């Protein structure tokens, strides 16, 4: 007589979830002769009705008599949830409570398995990963992800890579095919191509030449990769000092020299790559201001809890990067 769910739908399984790849499962609520409200409600001691990687659409609503509504459960892992799923600290498991007005509460169980990805991994973790992340054991990924950020490499018997191989793979591809590409880093790529690039980085299965993808898709994947780093290239604790010395190349270089070695390497590597692109402005028409602005916002990110950077702060971040792109005297 009142609102109900068909019980076959109380368990939802999301298989082989990948970074930034949306998966959707749906179910139907059917109403009887009386109007009915429904809403997902949060469980005791929890702020939201579900984990941050999940969303129900719609999450609440009103049903007219004898009508029904289809509810989609959308699961997507992004930069804010990937790191803990990579390390196994978090799992794709949740219980949703669907409250029906004058009906009973239904408990929906959501579970899935996440395929670890280099997206969302710390720089240091990736430097210690010699093989593709999908070939590694969960314990090894966990240990490397939770490892404290080191100022030197003495902690590990194994010498780390200078820069993450995934970063090298993308930059190498761009150096080989995109030096003359106009609008690089300013045009979006194609989603299916991003997925191919991500799988190439995570599994290393595609041939050495890399994915069949446009330059714009590779460039966007590089930006998404930098954006997904849980600790930015210029570490959070150096954010303030970077902005403060954005008009002194000497002091800025000093800030970089204080970073952990793997972060320093990545910074210098990206600067060298951007300088290489800027040698071809006759063909690619890239503007140093635009590049410094795009990479300033990714390499220098304010620490969690810091207010969103305003225009002045963004300009300082741009200025900080720009000095390195324009500095005479070659790479550092």
């Amino acid at each position: 007589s009142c609102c109900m769910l068909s019980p076959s739908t109380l368990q939802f399984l999301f298989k082989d979830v990948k970074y930034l790849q949306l998966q959707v499962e749906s179910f139907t609520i059917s109403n009887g002769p009386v109007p009915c409200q429904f809403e997902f409600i949060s469980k005791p001691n929890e702020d939201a009705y579900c984990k941050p990687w999940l969303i129900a659409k719609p999450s609440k609503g009103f049903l007219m008599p004898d009508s029904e509504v289809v509810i989609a459960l959308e699961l997507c892992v992004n930069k804010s949830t990937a790191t803990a799923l990579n390390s196994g600290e978090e799992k794709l498991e949740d219980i949703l409570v669907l409250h029906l007005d004058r009906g009973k509460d239904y408990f929906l169980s959501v579970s899935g398995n996440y395929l670890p990805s280099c997206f969302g991994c710390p720089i240091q973790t990736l430097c210690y990963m010699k093989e593709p992340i999908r070939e590694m054991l969960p314990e090894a990924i966990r240990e490397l992800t939770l490892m404290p950020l080191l100022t030197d490499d003495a902690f590990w018997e194994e010498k780390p890579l200078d820069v993450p191989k995934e970063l090298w793979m993308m930059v190498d591809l761009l150096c080989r095919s995109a030096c003359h590409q106009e609008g690089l880093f300013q045009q979006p790529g194609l989603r299916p191509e991003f997925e191919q690039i991500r799988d190439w980085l995570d599994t290393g299965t595609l041939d050495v030449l890399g994915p069949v993808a446009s330059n714009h898709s590779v460039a966007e994947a590089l930006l998404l990769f930098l954006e997904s780093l849980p600790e930015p290239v210029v570490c959070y604790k150096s954010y303030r000092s970077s902005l403060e010395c954005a008009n002194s190349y000497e002091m800025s270089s000093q800030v970089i020299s204080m970073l952990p070695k793997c972060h320093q390497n990545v910074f210098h590597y990206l600067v060298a790559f951007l300088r290489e692109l800027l040698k071809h402005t006759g063909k690619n028409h890239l503007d140093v201001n635009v590049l410094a602005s795009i990479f300033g916002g990714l390499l220098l990110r304010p620490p969690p809890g810091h207010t969103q950077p305003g225009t002045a702060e963004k300009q300082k971040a741009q200025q900080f990067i720009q000095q390195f792109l324009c500095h005479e005297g070659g790479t550092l």
Side-chain angles (χ1 to χ4, degrees):
S1 61
C2 57
C3 250
M4 58 186 295
L5 278 175
S6 50
S8 64
T9 53
L10 296 183
Q11 290 191 333
F12 301 89
L13 180 62
F14 292 85
K15 272 195 156 114
D16 294 343
V17 176
K18 294 176 175 180
Y19 186 74
L20 281 191
Q21 197 155 326
L22 179 70
Q23 286 199 28
V24 185
E25 295 284 336
S26 309
F27 66 94
T28 306
I29 308 179
S30 309
N31 195 16
V34 183
C36 162
Q37 281 180 314
F38 67 90
E39 180 174 9
F40 286 95
I41 55 174
S42 44
K43 301 178 283 297
N45 307 325
E46 293 189 9
D47 298 333
Y49 68 84
C50 66
K51 295 274 178 70
W53 35 261
L54 193 65
I55 190 167
K57 289 184 179 171
S59 65
K60 58 180 170 192
F62 184 77
L63 276 167
M64 295 306 282
D66 303 315
S67 66
E68 53 183 43
V69 63
V70 174
I71 303 228
L73 296 178
E74 299 188 349
L75 191 157
C76 188
V77 173
N78 61 22
K79 61 183 182 188
S80 61
T81 50
T83 309
L85 287 165
N86 272 338
S87 70
E89 291 170 283
E90 273 290 330
K91 298 230 176 316
L92 292 179
E93 282 167 11
D94 202 3
I95 300 228
L96 274 58
V97 183
L98 178 59
H99 176 71
L100 303 181
D101 196 24
R102 285 194 304 281
K104 59 174 189 171
D105 286 350
Y106 286 91
F107 295 90
L108 280 58
S109 135
V110 172
S111 60
N113 68 302
Y114 183 62
L115 299 176
S117 174
C118 64
F119 289 84
C121 270
I123 290 177
Q124 174 174 262
T125 303
L126 293 170
C127 286
Y128 278 103
M129 283 185 183
K130 304 292 167 75
E131 62 253 45
I133 190 166
R134 295 260 296 277
E135 287 177 19
M136 297 191 61
L137 293 169
E139 299 73 57
I141 298 174
R142 182 185 171 86
E143 186 182 358
L144 289 174
T145 306
L146 299 179
M147 177 173 143
L149 191 51
L150 307 168
T151 35
D152 65 38
D153 306 324
F155 176 77
W156 245 208
E157 51 277 21
E158 207 178 333
K159 189 180 173 336
L161 303 165
D162 289 332
V163 298
K165 61 190 175 309
E166 296 82 0
L167 175 62
W168 177 83
M169 286 158 80
M170 287 184 282
V171 167
D172 178 60
L173 204 52
L174 290 169
C175 279
R176 280 188 284 131
S177 63
C179 278
H180 296 166
Q181 177 70 58
E182 287 194 43
L184 201 62
F185 298 116
Q186 293 151 74
Q187 281 190 28
L190 299 169
R191 184 46 56 124
E193 291 188 357
F194 166 73
E195 291 171 359
Q196 211 191 336
I197 295 162
R198 177 205 55 214
D199 291 349
W200 170 59
L201 297 172
D202 289 342
T203 61
T205 46
L206 286 176
D207 59 42
V208 191
L209 291 172
V212 185
S214 73
N215 292 333
H216 293 303
S217 295
V218 182
E220 186 180 35
L222 175 58
L223 299 181
L224 286 168
F225 173 78
L226 294 171
E227 186 186 55
S228 76
L229 293 169
E231 180 80 44
V233 177
V234 176
C235 299
Y236 285 131
K237 68 174 202 293
S238 302
Y239 179 71
R240 274 270 142 264
S241 48
S242 309
L243 299 189
E244 281 163 14
C245 58
N247 50 10
S248 156
Y249 176 74
E250 209 165 307
M251 284 166 70
S252 298
S253 304
Q254 213 164 349
V255 170
I256 298 301
S257 71
M258 308 293 284
L259 296 174
K261 196 79 183 99
C262 54
H263 284 251
Q264 279 184 57
N265 290 345
V266 166
F267 183 84
H268 291 316
Y269 184 65
L270 286 168
V271 164
F273 165 57
L274 296 177
R275 288 173 68 107
E276 184 57 37
L277 290 178
L278 289 166
K279 286 181 190 165
H280 301 275
T281 45
K283 294 263 176 47
N284 62 32
H285 303 122
L286 285 171
D287 177 338
V288 67
N289 295 288
V290 174
L291 282 185
S293 170
I294 294 168
F295 281 84
L298 289 170
L299 304 186
L300 289 155
R301 283 188 264 132
H306 182 292
T307 47
Q308 277 303 303
T311 318
E313 236 174 271
K314 284 182 180 158
Q315 278 173 340
K316 283 209 162 112
Q318 174 183 341
Q319 205 183 341
F320 182 87
I321 300 298
Q322 201 153 334
Q323 310 176 90
F324 290 94
L325 300 185
C326 301
H327 185 69
E328 297 308 323
T331 48
L332 298 163

